[in-house]
Amino acid sequence: MPTADPGVRVSVDPRLVARTRDHLAAFLRALHDAGLSVPATKQRDFHAGIEAVAPSTTGQLYWVGVATIVTSESGHPVFDEVFRRFFGSPEDAVLVVDEPAEAPEEQDGDDDEEEQGSAPAGDEVEDLLVTETSGSGLRAGLGSPELPKRFGRTSASAHAVMREIAAELPRAVPRARSRRHRPGRRRHRVDLRAVYLESRRTQGEIVRLRWRHRPTQPRRVLVLIDVSGSMKQHSPDHLRFAHTVLATCSGAEVFTFGTRLTRVTAALRHRDVDEALDSLAPLVLDADGGTLIGESLTELLADPHVVTMARGALVLVLSDGLERGDCTAMVGAVGRLSRLAHQLTWWSPLACDPAYRPLTRGMAAVVGDLDALAGVRDLETALAQVRSSFSHAPAHHPRRRNHD
């Protein structure tokens, strides 16, 4: 079989490249229409995987798509069906080598022991996972480890702090007046219907006035937690705080973000905090990875349901604000979130240092849109901020805004 000369440049028809690009774009749109979420980050990873692998068979293209797009078991059937529609059946997807290796007829006992000892034990596998996800956690990155994140057990002292937070939250969360009037003693509006019905029992005489008022109710709470590598030391306690918020505040929502946005409200509603954190392992696959704050917040605000929930709510962002690359998307998303929310509070572990100033490009650009910027690195500092009703700010004082 003749082989191509490596010194000869192969020309590619630009029309073929354009058709291929259009076909891949149609494939991604079909996945979205079929119910499989393919945000911009996944699309970028998919194209980067194609460039890196340069698949020459349908099976290779199939595994590139699975590795970059499918993040849950429920997504596999949807992906498989759409893939067959666009590229056919990936019959070579299961092939590893051209020919299977011939099994030896006889094996000595020593070989058996050596073969058994070559496979890592359970503890060793866990050590390998820890090695893959380890790092200093001091810089923002761009990659995503795509490995399940395991959180440690909650200590007895942490449980005690969580109980204190739960007791303080009802008083700390801002309140808003209800749109409906209810009977009460506050003299806000005369309850004409109640006065009329009572006067019928006294031959038309008005003996006592009845009143209606608009009672207050807690505002909704939206918690956004940064789980990137630079926050790996703090995200477990931040998730425990979010678990307490969901158990205390009705209608609260929690999202995590690193290189992608993940809604974790349902998983964190489990009564036991440790089981709730364990259930996040198959969901939050970008933990301890890179940081794409702007893209994650932009994706959040693209959901009309989230926009409706954020309007007039307390929005709490737990992040160090170390955005990677261009900060334009982050500035625009934070500005819009600030206009929607009743109060936008940013908790950063870096702000625990009294000498901290928001001098990074991202934080310097968005600090004017925040109602408060405070230092929170664990449950104890979170309790201190809750006791100050989310309003304490460090040395600098961001512009305050009045909301209805």
Side-chain angles (χ1 to χ4, degrees):
M1 177 177 179
T3 58
D5 187 353
V8 178
R9 298 183 60 183
V10 179
S11 61
V12 180
D13 188 352
R15 293 174 297 177
L16 178 61
V17 175
R19 287 199 299 269
T20 303
R21 187 183 300 112
D22 294 341
H23 192 67
L24 291 175
F27 169 64
L28 294 174
R29 286 195 300 269
L31 288 175
H32 183 274
D33 296 340
L36 183 60
S37 175
V38 189
T41 53
K42 289 185 179 181
Q43 296 181 30
R44 183 193 60 200
D45 294 342
F46 177 60
H47 290 293
I50 293 177
E51 293 181 2
V53 177
S56 59
T57 65
T58 308
Q60 292 176 354
L61 179 62
Y62 172 82
W63 285 117
V64 169
V66 169
T68 57
I69 296 176
V70 182
T71 57
S72 64
E73 290 295 332
S74 59
H76 276 282
V78 178
F79 180 85
D80 292 347
E81 193 275 330
V82 177
F83 186 90
R84 290 190 188 94
R85 222 180 334 134
F86 276 77
F87 304 103
S89 178
E91 297 178 354
D92 58 337
V94 297
L95 297 181
V96 179
V97 293
D98 294 336
E99 294 181 0
E102 296 180 1
E105 297 180 358
E106 296 181 1
Q107 293 183 349
D108 297 333
D110 295 339
D111 294 339
D112 293 340
E113 293 178 1
E114 182 179 356
E115 183 177 353
Q116 293 174 1
S118 63
D123 295 339
E124 295 177 359
V125 171
E126 184 175 0
D127 292 339
L128 290 175
L129 292 179
V130 172
T131 302
E132 289 291 333
T133 59
S134 62
S136 62
L138 298 179
R139 295 197 310 168
L142 186 61
S144 178
E146 298 294 335
L147 291 173
K149 169 69 174 178
R150 301 294 180 183
F151 301 96
R153 301 290 93 181
T154 305
S155 63
S157 59
H159 277 291
V161 177
M162 291 171 63
R163 287 193 292 269
E164 293 186 56
I165 293 176
E168 296 286 343
L169 275 174
R171 295 189 294 270
V173 174
R175 303 182 70 86
R177 289 198 176 276
S178 172
R179 295 182 179 274
R180 295 187 177 184
H181 287 77
R182 302 180 185 278
R185 296 182 179 180
R186 295 182 182 179
R187 299 186 177 186
H188 183 263
R189 176 183 294 181
V190 176
D191 191 343
L192 296 178
R193 184 173 184 276
V195 170
Y196 167 72
L197 292 176
E198 188 172 298
S199 67
R200 293 180 60 181
R201 295 193 292 269
T202 58
Q203 288 75 43
E205 292 287 339
I206 299 177
V207 179
R208 180 172 50 182
L209 291 178
R210 298 290 182 179
W211 301 91
R212 296 176 67 85
H213 71 287
R214 292 169 56 192
T216 61
Q217 58 186 11
R219 292 184 179 271
R220 295 182 296 273
V221 182
L222 175 61
V223 184
L224 309 175
I225 302 177
D226 187 345
V227 294
S228 62
S230 59
M231 292 288 292
K232 63 185 300 183
Q233 300 176 2
H234 313 288
S235 54
D237 274 352
H238 289 172
L239 289 168
R240 293 184 181 100
F241 170 79
H243 179 271
T244 307
V245 171
L246 289 174
T248 308
C249 306
S250 61
E253 288 281 349
V254 181
F255 291 83
T256 63
F257 62 90
T259 56
R260 68 185 63 174
L261 183 74
T262 307
R263 181 178 180 270
V264 295
T265 304
L268 284 179
R269 285 197 184 279
H270 196 283
R271 186 172 183 178
D272 183 79
V273 61
D274 289 329
E275 293 189 17
L277 294 183
D278 289 341
S279 65
L280 296 180
L283 298 177
V284 186
L285 297 178
D286 57 337
D288 300 347
T291 308
L292 294 174
I293 301 177
E295 291 188 17
S296 299
L297 295 183
T298 301
E299 181 182 349
L300 177 81
L301 294 172
D303 187 343
H305 173 73
V306 176
V307 171
T308 301
M309 201 211 74
R311 184 173 288 112
L314 167 65
V315 179
L316 187 60
V317 183
L318 288 78
S319 172
D320 52 15
L322 300 180
E323 176 68 309
R324 181 68 179 237
D326 187 11
C327 299
T328 304
M330 174 181 172
V331 174
V334 172
R336 186 185 178 198
L337 198 58
S338 175
R339 294 188 294 270
L340 286 171
H342 166 75
Q343 181 174 336
L344 176 58
T345 297
W346 197 291
W347 285 356
S348 171
L350 302 178
C352 292
D353 184 356
Y356 168 76
R357 296 293 182 274
L359 300 179
T360 59
R361 289 179 300 171
M363 290 305 299
V366 305
V367 68
D369 293 317
L370 306 180
D371 288 285
L373 173 59
V376 171
R377 60 174 174 263
D378 51 24
L379 288 173
E380 286 77 9
T381 50
L383 174 60
Q385 295 304 324
V386 170
R387 284 175 172 167
S388 62
S389 299
F390 300 103
S391 61
H392 174 71
H396 69 282
H397 298 278
R399 174 175 57 86
R400 305 293 299 177
R401 296 169 285 116
N402 294 324
H403 298 268
D404 296 334

